[in-house]
Amino acid sequence: MTMIKSRAIKLTVAHINDTHSYFEPTSLQLNIAYNGKESSPFVSAGGFARIKTRVEQLRHQALVNKQGFLFLHAGDCFQGTLYYSLFKGEANSTLLNQLNLDAMAVGNHELDMGNLPVAEFANRIDFPLLAGNWDLSNESSDKPMVLSGNPNVYSYKPSTKSAQWIVKHVEEEPVAVFSLALDKMADISNPDSDTPFVNCIETANNTVTQIRKAGINKIILLSHMGYEADLDLANHVEGISLIVGGHSHVLQGDFSDLGLGKNDVYGVKVKDTHVVQAGFHALALGHSQIEFDEFGRVTHFKGKNELLIGRRLFVDTSRNNSWHEDDYLQLKKQVDEHPNVVVCRKDPTIKLILKERYQSRVSELQQTYIASTERKLRHVRIPDEKGGSDIAPLVADSFRHMMRKQGYTAQFAIHNAGGVRNSINQGAISVADIAGKVLPFLVPIGVYQIKGKYIAEILEGAINNATNNGVEGTGSGSYPYVAGLRFDYNALAPQGQRIEQLAIMIDGIWQSVDAETCYCGTSSAYTMKGKEGYEAILNMDGEGQVTNYSMADCFIDYLQDKPEVLNTNCVTGVSKGH
């Protein structure tokens, strides 16, 4: 590849990813050892107001140091909290505009409800939306709103099989930024069928070639492919200096002293490419200080992820009579002076927008209580030594409950583990807890008729996918939880024969599932599309029927009607083998 002579520059890149509508700070529990003691204080962490404050500090510092500055979002701003459930993408566009982003990547959750919400979002934002391997060239023009032709959207160019890119200038020196999303987007999200995603590595190689032909040798990839895919791509594509990633929620750096774990070092280097990612839910901000030589090579790289917290530390001293004020001061000092922590004030403009436009409706739901639990209800995707999810089987049963109330004869329910996002703590449960935390994704529920022989195929396909058992899976989120069914999964059996003892409850009695009998099932519309190992569900009779009830609608109604279920055990499928 021809070396392009240009100028050496210094550049700061700040970045966030997978913010999922977490505009407000999160109450985050830390686990800290000090002076032979253990403490689990809470801090107010993250939120868009703190991100804005810290970004502006870094932007000013870059100006003082005569460096360029970029602020990038690596995708998945949609879904996640009540702010999305209530206001859809409008709140995201308003608040992201306040952050003064230089660019954002399209993530898979932007497309959960198809192209239209993204098209509406793209019309409201004042920064580029990058989707370099999203082919919009054959998008139908008769939709309510189209993405192709929108000047804010930088998509795939079929003529060169490359991504469109943006150019930012640092001391008149051009820096190119392009984006890729995982090419299996149709498997885990819902892009319209006329707008496919194409191969990442091929697109990346072609894009680097085109950028260098344009005389630019400083190249940044804004990725929503996932951490492992980012590391892999760096092995296959030369010429990319920095990959700013998302999708996998990886918080690079050592946060073990705070009880938040330890991942790869920030900016892990693969060949000549540095790869960064900054966690999730707007808790942290990453920033890299990069020096390029005139040939586009990175000659110096330094940076870190910072957990952004408030000035206060909250400690429960009720169970510790030996606690003294000196303990608090020492603990606070240890947190505040952690190398990956920044104590950060909230930006007043974002605070005001949240208060005046959005918070009152959110607060109303936060104060509407529907049930309570005597124990913590744990959610895990794949069952472990403690068992499976306490919540996902109840969610599945809520689908069946709601569909029966609507007049459907739903006999069983299957729900993917990834549709449930959080555990439930002991105590009272509000509408906001369900719709904003446990089931924040706006996905409707449907019903379908399907023969018994395909039920076993659905369950096995989903578990095979979740555990990579004989297939290359798309992640643990596909693991199935059920209501009205019970089964064993034998991981050691031949593929196609791993579901054993499959039974269905009919009129209060467990019966073996008959291969040729047609049963009525209920699942989310996402699962009904046969994604992530659920292909066998496409053998349903006809297309099924999707209702207007969301996952959260079903679970809220279920808890109001049957609050006692939170303190009893559910029967679900069991895995055996390894």
Side-chain angles (χ1 to χ4, degrees):
M1 191 172 286
T2 305
M3 300 298 284
I4 303 165
K5 183 82 172 183
S6 57
R7 297 174 56 187
I9 60 168
K10 296 179 179 180
L11 174 66
T12 295
V13 179
H15 58 98
I16 51 178
N17 56 274
D18 299 276
T19 52
H20 285 301
S21 310
Y22 275 73
F23 307 131
E24 290 195 79
T26 297
S27 180
L28 182 67
Q29 188 170 25
L30 308 178
N31 290 288
I32 301 170
Y34 70 102
N35 285 350
K37 301 178 182 179
E38 294 283 339
S39 184
S40 299
F42 286 86
V43 292
S44 172
F48 272 34
R50 288 199 180 101
I51 285 174
K52 174 65 180 287
T53 295
R54 184 60 179 143
V55 165
E56 291 308 312
Q57 290 172 351
L58 292 167
R59 195 189 304 273
H60 176 72
Q61 191 61 49
L63 181 65
V64 170
N65 294 339
K66 298 183 178 179
Q67 297 177 343
F69 186 85
L70 290 176
F71 182 27
L72 305 173
H73 190 311
D76 271 7
C77 72
F78 279 14
Q79 301 280 24
T81 72
L82 277 173
Y83 284 104
Y84 188 79
S85 304
L86 290 171
F87 306 107
K88 311 303 184 289
E90 187 274 330
N92 268 287
S93 59
T94 298
L95 290 159
L96 286 167
N97 282 342
Q98 287 293 317
L99 294 184
N100 296 323
L101 290 169
D102 288 288
M104 176 181 148
V106 166
N108 53 294
H109 284 296
E110 272 74 74
L111 285 158
D112 282 344
M113 305 298 284
N115 286 20
L116 181 58
V118 184
E120 293 171 338
F121 176 74
N123 276 343
R124 289 191 291 254
I125 56 177
D126 56 17
F127 51 85
L129 185 64
L130 309 186
N133 60 326
W134 194 10
D135 188 353
L136 304 177
S137 62
N138 294 312
E139 185 180 26
S140 174
S141 60
D142 61 2
K143 297 178 182 180
M145 192 176 294
V146 295
L147 283 152
S148 58
N150 186 319
N152 278 340
V153 179
Y154 289 71
S155 59
Y156 181 72
K157 295 191 294 184
S159 59
T160 53
K161 296 183 179 180
S162 65
Q164 296 182 58
W165 66 85
I166 62 171
V167 176
K168 294 290 181 176
H169 286 88
V170 178
E171 298 177 12
E172 301 183 359
E173 179 67 16
V175 177
V177 183
F178 74 101
S179 173
L180 297 172
L182 63 169
D183 42 31
K184 286 188 176 183
M185 186 70 87
D187 291 343
I188 68 166
S189 194
N190 290 293
D192 292 358
S193 59
D194 57 354
T195 58
F197 282 75
V198 300
N199 183 269
C200 290
I201 292 177
E202 179 183 339
T203 304
N205 272 313
N206 293 337
T207 304
V208 170
T209 298
Q210 294 298 317
I211 291 172
R212 294 182 73 85
K213 278 184 181 178
I216 303 171
N217 61 17
K218 298 164 181 68
I219 303 172
I220 296 172
L221 167 61
L222 188 56
S223 162
H224 200 82
M225 300 184 297
Y227 190 61
E228 295 301 324
D230 290 342
L231 298 175
D232 182 61
L233 183 131
N235 275 312
H236 292 90
V237 181
E238 295 182 2
I240 297 173
S241 303
L242 178 69
I243 299 178
V244 177
H247 186 56
S248 302
H249 295 196
V250 173
L251 182 65
Q252 286 179 323
D254 187 356
F255 292 83
S256 55
D257 289 348
L258 302 174
L260 302 178
K262 180 179 181 179
N263 284 305
D264 287 348
V265 296
Y266 179 83
V268 62
K269 188 176 182 182
V270 180
K271 292 189 173 178
D272 293 324
T273 302
H274 291 272
V275 178
V276 298
Q277 193 167 144
F280 59 98
H281 294 179
L283 291 169
L285 176 76
H287 58 90
S288 313
Q289 288 74 49
I290 307 169
E291 294 182 15
F292 296 91
D293 68 13
E294 66 271 28
F295 301 106
R297 296 175 300 212
V298 176
T299 56
H300 176 79
F301 179 95
K302 182 181 179 181
K304 61 181 175 177
N305 279 322
E306 297 174 337
L307 182 68
L308 307 181
I309 68 170
R311 290 174 294 164
R312 296 190 181 124
L313 196 70
F314 302 91
V315 181
D316 180 4
T317 61
S318 60
R319 299 180 183 178
N320 188 349
N321 295 327
S322 65
W323 186 269
H324 301 290
E325 184 178 356
D326 286 348
D327 292 308
Y328 175 84
L329 294 173
Q330 182 177 340
L331 191 63
K332 187 175 187 306
K333 184 173 185 289
Q334 189 168 322
V335 172
D336 291 354
E337 294 182 358
H338 190 282
N340 293 337
V341 166
V342 172
V343 178
C344 200
R345 292 182 179 272
K346 298 175 190 171
D347 175 76
T349 302
I350 288 183
K351 281 178 64 178
L352 187 62
I353 291 172
L354 281 168
K355 180 180 178 181
E356 293 188 344
R357 293 182 62 165
Y358 305 117
Q359 280 177 339
S360 60
R361 286 181 63 188
V362 171
S363 296
E364 181 181 340
L365 295 186
Q366 288 172 335
Q367 295 165 23
T368 305
Y369 293 97
I370 54 173
S372 65
T373 174
E374 299 167 1
R375 60 195 174 101
K376 179 175 180 176
L377 299 173
R378 188 179 75 122
H379 177 61
V380 292
R381 291 187 170 188
I382 297 177
D384 56 21
E385 66 280 357
K386 297 179 182 178
S389 172
D390 295 324
I391 302 171
L394 297 176
V395 172
D397 199 35
S398 77
F399 298 172
R400 192 172 57 158
H401 178 76
M402 177 65 90
M403 292 302 97
R404 287 175 173 176
K405 286 181 69 171
Q406 305 311 313
Y408 300 102
T409 57
Q411 296 163 301
F412 71 91
I414 303 176
H415 185 45
N416 63 308
V420 178
R421 306 306 287 186
N422 281 291
S423 299
I424 297 176
N425 290 323
Q426 180 182 359
I429 300 169
S430 69
V431 170
D433 291 328
I434 302 304
K437 296 177 182 177
V438 179
L439 297 166
F441 295 151
L442 281 178
V443 179
I445 301 306
V447 291
Y448 50 91
Q449 301 287 330
I450 195 163
K451 287 184 177 180
K453 61 185 177 182
Y454 299 123
I455 298 175
E457 291 184 27
I458 294 167
L459 296 169
E460 179 177 331
I463 300 175
N464 289 345
N465 180 84
T467 59
N468 296 310
N469 190 7
V471 300
E472 183 181 343
T474 56
S476 59
S478 70
Y479 193 89
Y481 284 91
V482 299
L485 296 173
R486 67 182 184 188
F487 63 92
D488 294 334
Y489 174 82
N490 185 352
L492 303 179
Q495 197 162 331
Q497 302 174 36
R498 291 171 180 164
I499 300 299
E500 301 172 351
Q501 308 297 319
L502 177 60
I504 188 168
M505 182 172 281
I506 306 291
D507 297 327
I509 300 171
W510 286 108
Q511 303 176 11
S512 294
V513 170
D514 180 73
E516 295 302 320
T517 297
C518 214
Y519 300 94
C520 182
T522 174
S523 299
S524 72
Y526 177 82
T527 299
M528 286 172 64
K529 289 191 174 185
K531 298 175 183 294
E532 298 195 81
Y534 285 86
E535 291 85 358
I537 207 169
L538 299 176
N539 293 303
M540 69 179 70
D541 288 355
E543 296 182 357
Q545 184 170 349
V546 176
T547 72
N548 292 322
Y549 295 96
S550 71
M551 297 186 293
D553 291 335
C554 294
F555 199 39
I556 290 166
D557 182 81
Y558 180 71
L559 294 183
Q560 289 173 323
D561 288 353
K562 303 173 71 172
E564 70 278 2
V565 299
L566 293 176
N567 300 302
T568 58
N569 293 321
C570 269
V571 176
T572 185
V574 180
S575 299
K576 66 182 181 183
H578 302 283

